[in-house]
């Protein structure tokens, strides 16, 4: 498919969505605000300060901050733990039940617990979000470390490469696809939990604004905030993730099928 | 280091035969206790010769070569040259593995750089060496290509260039052509012999293919599946050899018969 055709299809699908929305709002006006009303509300949100005198970008920024700080934390921790698990048999045997338990732990309970432990403060979020997201990164990097090519390490050892050279030029490049998948799943889980934390514990951020609209039964405002948030996610996807992906997979003409864990 | 420099630096012992004596290797395997893979092996590698280790799969021939390479520590045994004990680090060898073992995320030239850096070759010599050895294996125009764009035979050529680029005295090769199609393998064998002659080096070659061993080698060590070296046989056929030379086929048949008696009984 050429470029023009691809863009046309994307535009068509977006228009299709708007049409469905419009039909839905005509059919069920009580529960689905119309496109026009949401656009109007969006105008209000984008131009006037909301709760506590904060503009819309303050909330988006606070949400983004929590997502990305948490992302960095869980990528670092998850990579270290995952690689340790994947390269050490006894550690794997001893602690893999912990990881599975950790994965199964309900994220809602984590949010409540950090609320109790750290109060209704951002700190609760900065601790809670990584707690929920890190095991997914661990699982990915664990898989990556298990798939490391021992033959390449033997080759590297034979030619006399230092530990540093082996790590940087042999190990890390093999983990890159897994690191990328980790970023993907950490991001997609991370923002859901961030919103949950903001809605339940905080008085700022996009999650809080959803909660507020909900409490006041402002369906139109909720839809307008949803638009803001979706635009933000699109920017992250096409502005950060896709270029990052292209950059990291530059050296390989075809991308191997790496399964994301989500 | 260039070739002339190296021979100037070389001590007398470098020109002597490498002698392995009574090499024993046990592996611990889960549930099987200790398994004997090398049973008091003696091996002589004469400088400048092409030596093959021939045996069925799993007979320990790769393990034996890895003892020479320093990748496997023998349970007991000695390695000497010119009357002195030597370690694998003293030997200056290059290794061509069964698989190319290239770094897929680096170009062909960068794969060779990897080995040069690992061996502490001064950076000023890198370009010259990369050009020389890629040219030698006929891949100079692919220097900036990634391995994933190359065929299996071309990848193995890169692996050979990488092993040559560190300018070893001895080239260790572990069934390097066994996963290639026969036509590609045949071409590569002839090229290997040409390089071996030009570069005046020693080759230790592991194979399970009697025909390959006869075509390539000056002499052949034969191993059975219980880790014993049961014979050393010379191949006195004039070079350059041809695949369809009756003398090659004849020697192959002789060794095959001997092998069959030894391994089956």
């Amino acid at each position: 498919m050429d470029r023009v055709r691809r863009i046309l299809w994307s535009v068509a699908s977006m228009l299709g969505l708007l049409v469905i929305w419009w039909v839905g709002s005509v059919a069920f006006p009580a529960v689905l605000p119309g496109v026009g009303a949401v656009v109007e509300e969006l105008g209000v949100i984008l131009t006037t300060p909301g709760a506590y005198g904060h503009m819309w970008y303050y909330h988006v920024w606070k949400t983004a901050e929590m997502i990305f700080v948490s992302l960095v934390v869980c990528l670092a921790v998850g990579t270290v733990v995952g690689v340790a698990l994947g390269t050490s048999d006894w550690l794997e045997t001893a602690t893999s039940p912990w990881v599975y338990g950790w994965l199964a732990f309900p994220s809602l309970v984590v949010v409540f617990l950090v609320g109790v432990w750290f109060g209704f403060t951002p700190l609760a979020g900065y601790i809670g979000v990584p707690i929920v997201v890190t095991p997914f990164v661990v699982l990915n990097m664990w898989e990556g470390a298990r798939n490391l090519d021992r033959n390449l390490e033997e080759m590297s050892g034979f030619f006399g490469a230092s530990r540093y050279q082996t790590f940087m030029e042999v190990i890390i490049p093999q983990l890159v696809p897994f690191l990328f998948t980790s970023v993907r799943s950490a991001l997609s889980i991370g923002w859901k939990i961030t919103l949950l934390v903001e809605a339940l514990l905080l008085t700022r951020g996009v999650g809080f604004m959803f909660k507020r609209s909900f409490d006041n039964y402002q369906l139109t405002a909720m839809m307008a905030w949803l638009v803001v948030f979706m635009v933000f996610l699109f920017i992250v996807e096409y502005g950060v993730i896709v270029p990052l992906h292209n950059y990291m997979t530059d050296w390989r003409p075809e991308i191997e099928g790496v399964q994301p864990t989500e | 280091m260039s070739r002339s420099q190296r021979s100037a630096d070389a001590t007398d012992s470098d020109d002597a035969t490498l002698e392995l004596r009574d090499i024993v290797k046990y592996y611990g395997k889960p549930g099987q206790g200790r398994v004997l893979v090398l049973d008091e092996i003696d091996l002589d590698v004469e400088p400048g010769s092409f030596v093959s280790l021939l045996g069925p799969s799993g007979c320990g021939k790769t393990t034996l070569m890895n003892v020479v390479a320093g990748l496997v520590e023998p349970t007991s045994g000695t390695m000497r040259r010119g009357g002195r004990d030597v370690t694998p680090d003293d030997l200056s060898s290059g290794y061509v593995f069964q698989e190319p073992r290239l770094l897929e995320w680096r170009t062909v030239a960068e794969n060779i750089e990897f080995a040069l850096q690992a061996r502490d070759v001064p950076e000023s010599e890198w370009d010259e060496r990369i050009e020389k050895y890629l040219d030698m294996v006929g891949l100079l125009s692919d220097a900036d290509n990634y391995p994933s764009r190359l065929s299996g035979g071309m990848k193995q050529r890169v692996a050979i260039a990488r092993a040559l680029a560190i300018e070893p005295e001895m080239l260790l090769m572990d069934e390097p052509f066994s996963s290639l199609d026969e036509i590609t393998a045949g071409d590569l064998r002839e090229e290997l012999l040409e390089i071996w002659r030009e570069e005046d080096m020693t080759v230790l070659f592991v194979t399970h293919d009697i025909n390959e061993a006869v075509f390539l080698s000056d002499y052949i060590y034969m191993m059975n599946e219980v880790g014993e070296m049961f014979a050393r046989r010379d191949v006195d056929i004039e070079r350059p050899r041809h695949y369809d030379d009756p003398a090659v086929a004849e020697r192959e048949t002789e060794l095959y018969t001997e092998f069959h008696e030894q391994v089956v009984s």
Side-chain angles (χ1 to χ4, degrees):
Chain A
M1 228 177 348
D2 59 38
R3 199 179 157 78
V4 176
R5 193 177 282 243
R6 232 176 359 226
I7 291 170
L8 279 175
W9 275 111
S10 305
V11 171
S13 76
M14 292 297 282
L15 286 175
L17 183 69
L18 285 175
V19 169
I20 293 170
W21 182 2
W22 178 77
V23 170
S25 68
V26 170
F28 310 102
V31 291
L32 190 61
V35 180
V38 170
V39 170
E40 205 173 303
E41 179 68 27
L42 198 58
V44 176
I45 288 174
L46 294 181
T47 51
T48 54
Y52 305 103
H54 292 307
M55 287 298 287
W56 64 277
Y57 46 79
Y58 170 82
H59 294 291
V60 171
W61 167 247
K62 283 296 169 189
T63 301
E65 195 178 47
M66 186 169 286
I67 291 175
F68 287 109
V69 170
S70 303
L71 194 69
V72 171
V73 172
C74 50
L75 282 177
V77 177
T79 302
V80 171
V81 176
V83 171
L85 281 169
T87 47
S88 158
D89 279 346
W90 70 265
L91 205 65
E92 187 169 32
T93 317
T95 57
S96 57
W98 291 65
V99 176
Y100 293 123
W102 190 4
L103 272 167
F105 204 84
S107 37
L108 189 65
V109 177
V110 173
V111 175
F112 286 147
L113 282 178
V114 292
V116 172
W117 292 336
F118 303 99
F120 288 22
T121 63
L123 179 66
Y126 284 118
I127 290 172
V129 179
I131 286 180
V132 173
V133 178
T134 302
F136 293 93
V137 178
V138 169
L139 212 60
N140 261 317
M141 301 314 290
W142 184 4
E143 192 61 33
R146 248 196 307 225
N147 284 313
L148 283 175
D149 190 341
R150 307 279 166 204
N151 283 344
L152 286 180
E153 275 171 72
E154 191 180 61
M155 181 281 291
S156 175
F158 173 80
F159 283 102
S162 64
R163 258 168 207 275
Y164 178 76
Q165 193 188 358
T166 304
F167 190 73
M168 295 307 288
E169 294 173 28
V170 180
I171 308 287
I172 289 285
Q174 293 183 72
L175 293 176
V176 161
F178 294 90
L179 203 61
F180 180 78
T181 317
S182 297
V183 172
R184 250 275 159 64
S185 53
L187 199 64
S188 64
I189 303 158
W191 69 255
K192 292 181 180 107
I193 305 304
T194 301
L195 258 55
L196 204 58
V197 167
E198 287 171 341
L200 294 173
L201 305 178
L202 304 181
T203 51
R204 48 158 242 201
V206 180
F208 168 67
M209 295 315 286
F210 282 132
K211 161 84 169 345
R212 219 176 111 86
S213 313
F214 173 75
D215 287 346
N216 300 338
Y217 203 69
Q218 293 168 329
L219 216 49
T220 316
M222 201 190 286
M223 290 293 285
W225 271 104
L226 190 61
V227 171
V228 172
F229 192 67
M230 296 306 279
V231 168
F232 164 68
L233 282 186
F234 266 91
I235 291 171
V236 171
E237 174 71 26
Y238 290 103
V240 182
I241 301 290
V242 172
L244 195 67
H245 183 253
N246 291 342
Y247 172 75
M248 293 204 298
T249 53
D250 220 12
W251 51 268
R252 48 166 98 200
E254 78 289 330
I255 294 155
E256 285 164 28
V258 177
Q259 289 302 311
T261 315
E262 203 180 307
Chain B
M1 225 191 300
S2 75
R3 217 161 175 83
S4 55
Q5 268 175 303
R6 197 174 62 216
S7 45
D9 292 348
T11 55
D12 299 341
S13 67
D14 283 10
D15 301 324
T17 299
L18 177 68
E19 299 163 341
L20 280 74
R21 291 291 176 269
D22 299 322
I23 301 289
V24 174
K25 177 66 188 175
Y26 283 98
Y27 273 125
K29 280 190 185 168
Q32 293 176 42
R34 293 200 326 159
V35 175
L36 181 65
V37 280
L38 295 176
D39 187 0
E40 295 182 3
I41 301 282
D42 293 348
L43 173 74
D44 285 356
V45 184
E46 292 164 17
S49 59
F50 199 118
V51 187
S52 284
L53 302 175
L54 178 67
S57 302
C59 72
K61 53 196 191 298
T62 298
T63 306
L64 179 59
M65 194 162 77
N66 284 344
V67 167
V68 178
L71 294 172
V72 169
E73 182 79 24
T75 310
S76 65
T78 59
M79 187 150 72
R80 294 171 74 82
R81 188 168 60 178
R84 259 174 286 180
D85 282 339
V86 287
T87 65
D89 288 340
D90 304 325
L91 291 180
S92 161
S93 54
Y95 206 130
V96 180
F97 299 91
Q98 192 168 352
E99 324 77 22
R101 301 198 188 177
L102 302 176
L103 305 175
E104 298 277 320
W105 43 92
R106 302 185 121 219
T107 63
V108 165
E110 287 167 347
N111 264 281
I112 296 172
E113 272 175 22
F114 177 84
L116 295 175
Q117 190 188 343
R119 278 288 160 110
D120 297 322
V121 174
E123 211 170 326
S124 55
E125 294 180 25
W126 291 4
D127 288 347
E128 194 192 319
R129 288 208 194 184
I130 289 167
E131 203 182 311
K132 178 179 172 189
Y133 292 102
L134 277 182
D135 191 31
M136 195 176 284
V137 298
L139 282 181
L140 195 52
S141 57
D142 287 293
D144 296 325
N145 239 333
Y146 284 96
S148 50
R149 297 206 190 273
L150 305 180
S151 69
M154 289 158 91
K155 284 184 193 174
Q156 204 53 290
R157 281 167 203 262
V158 178
I160 292 171
R162 178 179 62 190
L164 292 172
I166 60 171
E167 300 190 339
E169 294 162 39
M170 184 164 44
L171 195 58
L172 307 173
M173 307 183 90
D174 181 13
E175 306 195 18
F177 310 135
S178 62
S179 55
L180 303 177
D181 65 85
E182 193 41 46
I183 294 171
T184 309
D187 290 348
L188 273 169
R189 279 183 208 115
E190 287 184 354
E191 279 175 51
L192 172 64
L193 287 178
E194 215 162 285
I195 292 168
W196 168 65
R197 199 165 44 234
E198 278 170 21
E199 293 290 292
D200 183 35
M201 60 184 168
T202 313
V203 178
L204 185 58
F205 193 97
V206 163
T207 181
H208 59 249
D209 181 339
I210 301 181
N211 175 264
E212 181 174 53
V214 170
F215 178 73
L216 292 172
S217 315
D218 291 327
Y219 57 96
I220 301 170
Y221 279 100
M222 307 208 288
M223 292 181 72
N224 62 20
E225 66 269 75
V226 290
E228 293 165 346
M229 184 91 88
F230 65 87
R232 174 189 155 149
R233 294 290 173 262
D234 292 337
V235 183
D236 296 319
I237 300 170
E238 210 167 307
R239 297 178 190 270
R241 295 170 186 167
H242 300 280
Y243 287 113
D244 50 8
D245 187 340
V248 171
E250 195 184 325
R251 193 70 178 127
E252 190 187 339
T253 312
E254 286 165 15
L255 295 185
Y256 182 80
T257 311
E258 194 170 356
F259 227 103
H260 206 64
E261 282 165 4
Q262 178 63 228
V263 170
V264 172
S265 55

